[in-house]
Amino acid sequence: NAGVTQTPKFRILKIGQSMTLQCTQDMNHNYMYWYRQDPGMGLKLIYYSVGAGITDKGEVPNGYNVSRSTTEDFPLRLELAAPSQTSVYFCASSYSSVRGTPETQYFGPGTRLLVL
Amino acid sequence: AQTVTQSQPEMSVQEAETVTLSCTYDTSESDYYLFWYKQPPSRQMILVIRQEAYKQQNATENRFSVNFQKAAKSFSLKISDSQLGDAAMYFCAYIKHNDMRFGAGTRLTVKP
């Protein structure tokens, strides 16, 4: 049981390049999330998904896209990288309670992205 | 919009002593979850403790406990018998359906 895995661990992009950050979970969680953490700051929600085929915007979605074709995978796409997207990106997953509220989030190890 | 505020950017504690980290939040909801996460230098986010708002009893996990004051919208974390391994960034988080917010964090230093 690997939990939440993310690839790559670190990447350098040039301005205008595109890339996909991969995230996979093996806990059969219905909820999945993408956060970014800027230096010295807390996490901010980019996108989330409540199940396969369903995604929605979080607090800071501009410049990103997501898809959720399976329960396990939730990739994050950066189309035109900008220096403002330099950050550490965390993927997380959780199950929902019987009342429908997402419960404890389990995090991946993070992807450090540097846009130059 | 809901906000989560951690008013202490940095805290320091002597090994074996007790320290309390503060967190306040803003919400109009009555049912939600609150969490404390620890982030060591490895950057891995580790769950410390969680509290369900509909439960009046304060959550405890070994040396970690919370003081949940629902009316005051306060959710502080108490670490007893502090250990060197407790040194990390601590984040308070609020979750309700599609609203998930984290505080800016408190950096805890443990002095030997």
Side-chain angles (χ1 to χ4, degrees):
Chain A
N1 190 336
V4 179
T5 57
Q6 291 182 238
T7 56
K9 286 186 171 57
F10 175 64
R11 181 79 180 265
I12 298 175
L13 279 183
K14 293 182 180 178
I15 294 172
Q17 285 186 322
S18 301
M19 78 164 294
T20 299
L21 282 65
Q22 301 291 345
C23 175
T24 300
Q25 55 96 6
D26 62 0
M27 297 174 280
N28 201 33
H29 286 167
N30 52 334
Y31 278 83
M32 293 189 75
Y33 317 82
W34 275 105
Y35 291 93
R36 61 178 286 172
Q37 184 180 28
D38 297 330
M41 305 292 288
L43 279 68
K44 293 192 175 180
L45 184 64
I46 304 171
Y47 272 95
Y48 70 98
S49 169
V50 301
I54 306 170
T55 63
D56 208 346
K57 297 177 181 178
E59 186 182 356
V60 289
N62 291 343
Y64 307 95
N65 278 299
V66 294
S67 59
R68 182 104 181 263
S69 56
T70 67
T71 299
E72 295 79 18
D73 300 307
F74 190 42
L76 177 72
R77 179 84 178 159
L78 283 72
E79 290 295 347
L80 293 170
S84 61
Q85 293 178 304
T86 293
S87 191
V88 178
Y89 292 83
F90 288 97
C91 179
S93 71
S94 70
Y95 55 90
S96 57
S97 70
V98 294
R99 300 190 311 285
T101 297
E103 293 207 3
T104 303
Q105 296 186 20
Y106 295 85
F107 285 83
T111 294
R112 184 170 167 235
L113 178 66
L114 184 59
V115 182
L116 299 174
Chain B
Q2 328 291 17
T3 58
V4 177
T5 302
Q6 293 181 247
S7 59
Q8 306 152 316
E10 295 184 358
M11 290 286 283
S12 179
V13 64
Q14 205 71 34
E15 194 176 5
E17 298 292 308
T18 295
V19 64
T20 298
L21 308 183
S22 301
C23 174
T24 59
Y25 57 95
D26 176 35
T27 185
S28 57
E29 303 286 345
S30 60
D31 189 15
Y32 46 88
Y33 285 85
L34 296 165
F35 301 84
W36 279 98
Y37 281 91
K38 169 185 177 181
Q39 188 180 44
S42 67
R43 288 205 305 265
Q44 179 72 48
M45 294 289 285
I46 303 166
L47 176 69
V48 175
I49 200 165
R50 78 173 200 180
Q51 175 78 43
E52 296 159 54
Y54 71 91
K55 291 185 177 178
Q56 293 184 342
Q57 187 172 5
N58 288 327
T60 62
E61 287 287 342
N62 300 315
R63 298 183 294 107
F64 299 88
S65 61
V66 299
N67 182 4
F68 174 47
Q69 301 289 327
K70 191 172 184 178
K73 298 176 185 175
S74 171
F75 182 60
S76 60
L77 174 70
K78 186 171 84 170
I79 306 174
S80 304
D81 186 25
S82 297
Q83 300 175 0
L84 295 177
D86 295 334
M89 285 289 291
Y90 286 82
F91 293 97
C92 176
Y94 164 101
I95 293 177
K96 166 69 176 183
H97 287 304
N98 62 347
D99 191 3
M100 287 145 276
R101 299 199 178 251
F102 283 73
T106 296
R107 181 176 301 281
L108 178 66
T109 302
V110 181
K111 297 179 180 177

